[in-house]
Amino acid sequence: MLQTKGYAVQDAASGFASFDFERRDLGANDVLIEIQFCGVCHSDIHQARDEWGGSIYPMVPGHEIVGRVARTGADVSKFKEGDFAGVGCFVDSCGDCENCRQDVEQFCLVHCSQTYNSTEMDKKTPTFGGYSSQIVVDENYALKISDTENLAAVAPLLCAGITTYSPLRRFNVREGQKVGIVGLGGLGHMGVKLAASMGAEVTVFSTSPSKEQDAKNLGAHNFVVSKEPENMKPLKGKFDFILDCVSANHDLAVYLNLLKFNGAMVLVGAPEKPAEVNAFSLISNNRTLAGSGIGGIAETQEMLDYCAEKGITSDIEIIQIQDIEKAYERTIKSDVRYRFVINMQSLGQV
Amino acid sequence: MLQTKGYAVQDAASGFASFDFERRDLGANDVLIEIQFCGVCHSDIHQARDEWGGSIYPMVPGHEIVGRVARTGADVSKFKEGDFAGVGCFVDSCGDCENCRQDVEQFCLVHCSQTYNSTEMDKKTPTFGGYSSQIVVDENYALKISDTENLAAVAPLLCAGITTYSPLRRFNVREGQKVGIVGLGGLGHMGVKLAASMGAEVTVFSTSPSKEQDAKNLGAHNFVVSKEPENMKPLKGKFDFILDCVSANHDLAVYLNLLKFNGAMVLVGAPEKPAEVNAFSLISNNRTLAGSGIGGIAETQEMLDYCAEKGITSDIEIIQIQDIEKAYERTIKSDVRYRFVINMQSLGQV
């Protein structure tokens, strides 16, 4: 077994502390990745604090992992020692069910082994995430990183990037379309960059007037303070697609009404309480409300390659692992532009 | 002006009574249709009783209209005297906006002139519906009826038929798919017939165990009493498409959870209260919740031709106009299998 350093919470109320644990020995198809950076996703906080229920402790969060391949199993062909590699939200799946065969392993019908707060395919062995020194993963669940210049800023693509890329592709967002991005946080700022890169006219909806300049810098063409009803009225029926990146409870009808005929709004944030949806808002203009959950390995690789080609990364603030609690508090207050990324070398200083 | 007999309510609380009114003289593009049958839609009741607000009185409801062309304007080319013709939920639109040009006149961005409880394109002159002896309509907003043998049973296709046909086509329902129809009423029974005719394996979800035999007779392959949770559990993730035809308030998550990856549920019923939607129900399996409102003229004609070819009509109970109040009460109690259709000849006996 491989002795591994990590940072963990022991229960929903305790803070983070050093945690030594073991990774499995390399199997024939496994790669060992020395973790260099790990992004901080809002869902790390929800799970560390058991806000969604069912959390497994001790928990080492982190599913936006990038690093270098330190060792490869006997049958590994996709990676060689020294390659840059990433790990996203899951590390295994059955590979054989209807969904795995459609390349949506995140919806595996047998068991999607999440990167942390989950179990391996035996449904017993707990998984530990990227707030750690190294990870062992089947090569088929690791991603190739070609943008090696901006490794820290690539890390958030593994969750925030694919979460926004996948629905934009699924609904074929393209030049000539009007796209709304609701909420300018970790997800929203990636949504803006990606939608703009696909040629759409991008409007950011935010409750924070102070984010206007940022939105424009990220590539948005328009900025609307959504809490003022008079700002929203003239936009009724104008949008082809809206990506709703807000995790706080909010009124969906306000945004649904902005969709034109056959327009679609996709939820990628997950508010705790159910949202109210008026059937008339959907029936009028044959509107669509959909959800989207990360993406499969093939699409995640496609997204990483697309971002490398287009020069798209996340806007980040690099922190030391010792500052994780502070980073959580600032994330909750939306006081981050736009993603914290942990420099995992700081683990050595613990 | 053309003296016309009708049946109207004078306000939300009054009952129906005879009502004489005038239809406009035929314009160059108009046809005069002698109404033979008119279906009774649940929305007639909502509007007659002002349950959606904003009702215009006196009101002559009815938007499932079939009859014979009695006279044609000078420039009419689509119809000749003696032809059978139908009128659905709307009688005019601008014809020139983005939506009209996409053949979805029901969502006209200028004004969709509904068949009743609405106004003509001048936004002043009230429109009166099919509980009447005749109607004048622009030929471009009238439908050709080829199944002249079953005229009374064709009438409900003009609303219930197109409302269910359009979403089944939009989501490409086809052989090899599992389709759920929620609610076996006027809409649901058409949904069953149409989805089965497209080759899908159809499951009816109903709260009334007594409807099982009917569901099977209509073409359903399976019948599930939806109020029993143990009936629903094994169906999780099994459906490609679900058509929700229920107008009463109900829990959407129960049905969303039945959708497989990329599955869609479409609302065609419009409950008074907003429905609660849990974002996780949509994010899991990348599910879609959409709405659908009737259909444009071209698609309505396509549906009528399709039904004529496949021998599909509505299951109906023919009533006299004098029995309309009783029919409303029975419709509210779901005591109709599956659509009341008024024989408008009974107007002559008023």
Side-chain angles (χ1 to χ4, degrees):
Chain A
M1 301 291 273
L2 307 175
Q3 285 302 317
T4 302
K5 283 185 173 206
Y7 234 52
V9 283
Q10 296 294 328
D11 55 57
S14 81
F16 275 91
S18 261
F19 174 67
D20 291 331
F21 64 103
E22 292 179 330
R23 299 282 190 191
R24 70 170 179 260
D25 286 320
L26 257 67
N29 298 303
D30 286 339
V31 294
L32 172 68
I33 301 170
E34 279 177 1
I35 301 175
Q36 299 189 344
F37 296 99
C38 183
V40 176
C41 177
H42 205 123
S43 65
D44 295 353
I45 306 174
H46 287 305
Q47 292 176 85
R49 299 183 177 180
D50 199 19
E51 290 165 1
W52 291 341
S55 283
I56 302 168
Y57 298 98
M59 184 191 302
V60 177
H63 58 205
E64 295 181 339
I65 299 168
V66 292
R68 268 192 119 132
V69 174
R71 207 137 49 84
T72 58
D75 296 340
V76 167
S77 60
K78 194 167 135 186
F79 295 94
K80 61 179 196 304
E81 210 184 298
D83 281 354
F84 288 91
V87 176
C89 297
F90 58 94
V91 289
D92 215 346
S93 73
C94 84
D96 194 41
C97 70
E98 190 181 335
N99 286 350
C100 284
R101 275 183 276 118
Q102 287 183 88
D103 290 330
V104 284
E105 303 90 352
Q106 75 271 33
F107 302 129
C108 175
L109 299 173
V110 176
H111 178 55
C112 179
S113 173
Q114 314 264 328
T115 304
Y116 70 88
N117 190 28
S118 178
T119 56
E120 293 185 10
M121 294 309 286
D122 62 7
K123 300 192 183 178
K124 284 179 197 162
T125 314
T127 55
F128 295 112
Y131 298 6
S132 59
S133 57
Q134 58 187 7
I135 189 167
V136 175
V137 60
D138 184 309
E139 65 166 337
N140 294 310
Y141 294 82
L143 290 306
K144 294 176 83 77
I145 307 282
S146 54
D147 180 4
T148 57
E149 299 289 297
N150 301 293
L151 212 55
V154 164
L157 300 182
L158 275 308
C159 171
I162 185 62
T163 298
T164 49
Y165 178 88
S166 180
L168 290 166
R169 284 297 191 211
R170 171 174 160 206
F171 287 91
N172 191 21
V173 164
R174 58 194 182 276
E175 206 174 329
Q177 289 195 321
K178 286 190 201 305
V179 166
I181 305 288
V182 185
L184 195 62
L187 291 171
H189 97 289
M190 286 310 309
V192 172
K193 291 187 182 201
L194 289 166
S197 78
M198 293 169 188
E201 181 187 320
V202 178
T203 299
V204 167
F205 295 93
S206 173
T207 52
S208 314
S210 65
K211 287 189 174 170
E212 176 159 7
Q213 194 52 54
D214 267 22
K216 300 278 172 76
N217 294 346
L218 292 164
H221 306 85
N222 312 294
F223 182 86
V224 175
V225 179
S226 54
K227 60 192 167 191
E228 309 294 345
E230 69 268 29
N231 293 343
M232 303 298 274
K233 258 190 211 157
L235 301 178
K236 199 182 159 192
K238 300 293 187 204
F239 284 80
D240 296 282
F241 182 84
I242 296 175
L243 190 65
D244 187 335
C245 302
V246 175
S247 299
N249 294 301
H250 62 292
D251 184 0
L252 298 186
V254 170
Y255 297 103
L256 286 172
N257 290 335
L258 305 186
L259 293 173
K260 58 173 69 165
F261 168 67
N262 232 349
M265 173 155 124
V266 173
L267 306 179
V268 289
E272 271 172 74
K273 287 186 206 160
E276 291 205 336
V277 175
N278 185 314
F280 278 113
S281 295
L282 290 172
I283 289 172
S284 172
N285 269 345
N286 282 8
R287 293 174 177 125
T288 289
L289 176 70
S292 188
I294 51 172
I297 293 295
E299 195 177 36
T300 304
Q301 189 63 63
E302 176 191 309
M303 176 276 308
L304 286 169
D305 296 345
Y306 175 87
C307 286
E309 184 199 320
K310 297 274 185 182
I312 295 172
T313 56
S314 177
D315 284 17
I316 60 166
E317 188 175 328
I318 296 181
I319 60 165
Q320 311 296 306
I321 188 67
Q322 294 79 0
D323 296 325
I324 188 68
E325 305 271 4
K326 249 184 283 175
Y328 275 18
E329 291 317 310
R330 287 184 53 201
T331 300
I332 290 164
K333 288 186 289 188
S334 300
D335 176 26
V336 48
R337 292 182 179 185
Y338 280 89
R339 204 70 157 179
F340 288 113
V341 173
I342 312 165
N343 181 343
M344 292 316 307
Q345 292 196 310
S346 59
L347 256 187
Q349 299 152 19
V350 174
Chain B
M1 302 290 272
L2 307 176
Q3 286 301 318
T4 302
K5 284 186 173 205
Y7 234 53
V9 283
Q10 296 294 327
D11 54 57
S14 81
F16 275 91
S18 259
F19 174 67
D20 291 332
F21 63 103
E22 293 180 329
R23 299 282 190 190
R24 67 170 182 261
D25 286 320
L26 259 66
N29 299 304
D30 286 341
V31 294
L32 173 67
I33 302 170
E34 279 177 1
I35 301 174
Q36 299 189 344
F37 296 99
C38 183
V40 176
C41 178
H42 206 125
S43 65
D44 295 353
I45 305 174
H46 287 304
Q47 292 176 85
R49 299 182 177 180
D50 200 19
E51 289 165 0
W52 291 340
S55 283
I56 302 168
Y57 298 99
M59 185 191 301
V60 177
H63 59 206
E64 295 181 341
I65 300 168
V66 292
R68 268 191 118 131
V69 174
R71 206 136 50 82
T72 58
D75 296 341
V76 167
S77 60
K78 194 166 133 186
F79 295 94
K80 61 180 197 304
E81 212 184 298
D83 281 354
F84 288 91
V87 176
C89 297
F90 58 94
V91 289
D92 215 348
S93 72
C94 84
D96 195 40
C97 70
E98 190 182 334
N99 286 350
C100 284
R101 275 182 276 117
Q102 287 183 89
D103 291 330
V104 283
E105 304 90 353
Q106 75 271 32
F107 303 129
C108 175
L109 299 173
V110 176
H111 179 54
C112 179
S113 174
Q114 314 265 327
T115 304
Y116 70 87
N117 190 28
S118 177
T119 57
E120 293 185 8
M121 293 309 287
D122 61 7
K123 300 192 182 177
K124 284 179 196 162
T125 314
T127 55
F128 295 113
Y131 298 5
S132 60
S133 57
Q134 56 187 8
I135 189 166
V136 176
V137 60
D138 183 309
E139 64 165 338
N140 295 309
Y141 294 82
L143 289 306
K144 294 175 85 75
I145 307 282
S146 54
D147 180 4
T148 57
E149 300 289 299
N150 302 293
L151 213 55
V154 164
L157 301 182
L158 275 309
C159 172
I162 185 62
T163 297
T164 48
Y165 178 89
S166 180
L168 290 167
R169 284 298 192 210
R170 172 175 160 207
F171 287 90
N172 190 23
V173 165
R174 59 193 181 277
E175 206 174 327
Q177 289 194 322
K178 287 190 201 300
V179 166
I181 305 287
V182 185
L184 196 62
L187 290 171
H189 96 289
M190 288 309 309
V192 172
K193 291 187 181 202
L194 289 165
S197 78
M198 293 169 187
E201 181 188 319
V202 178
T203 299
V204 167
F205 294 93
S206 173
T207 53
S208 314
S210 64
K211 288 188 174 172
E212 176 160 6
Q213 194 51 55
D214 267 24
K216 300 278 173 75
N217 294 345
L218 291 163
H221 306 83
N222 312 295
F223 182 87
V224 175
V225 179
S226 54
K227 59 192 167 191
E228 309 295 346
E230 69 268 31
N231 293 342
M232 304 297 274
K233 257 188 210 158
L235 302 176
K236 198 180 162 193
K238 300 292 188 205
F239 284 80
D240 296 282
F241 182 84
I242 296 175
L243 190 64
D244 186 337
C245 301
V246 175
S247 299
N249 294 302
H250 62 293
D251 184 1
L252 298 185
V254 170
Y255 297 103
L256 286 172
N257 291 336
L258 305 187
L259 293 172
K260 58 173 70 165
F261 169 66
N262 231 351
M265 171 155 124
V266 172
L267 306 179
V268 290
E272 272 172 74
K273 288 187 206 156
E276 291 204 336
V277 175
N278 186 315
F280 278 113
S281 295
L282 290 172
I283 289 172
S284 172
N285 268 346
N286 282 7
R287 295 177 175 121
T288 289
L289 176 69
S292 187
I294 50 173
I297 292 295
E299 195 178 36
T300 305
Q301 189 64 62
E302 175 190 309
M303 175 275 307
L304 286 168
D305 297 345
Y306 175 87
C307 287
E309 185 198 320
K310 298 273 185 184
I312 295 172
T313 56
S314 177
D315 284 18
I316 61 166
E317 188 174 329
I318 296 181
I319 60 165
Q320 312 295 305
I321 187 69
Q322 294 79 359
D323 296 324
I324 187 68
E325 306 272 6
K326 246 183 288 175
Y328 275 20
E329 292 316 311
R330 287 185 51 201
T331 299
I332 290 165
K333 287 187 289 186
S334 301
D335 176 26
V336 49
R337 292 182 179 187
Y338 279 89
R339 204 71 157 178
F340 288 113
V341 172
I342 313 164
N343 181 345
M344 292 315 307
Q345 290 196 312
S346 58
L347 255 186
Q349 299 153 15
V350 174

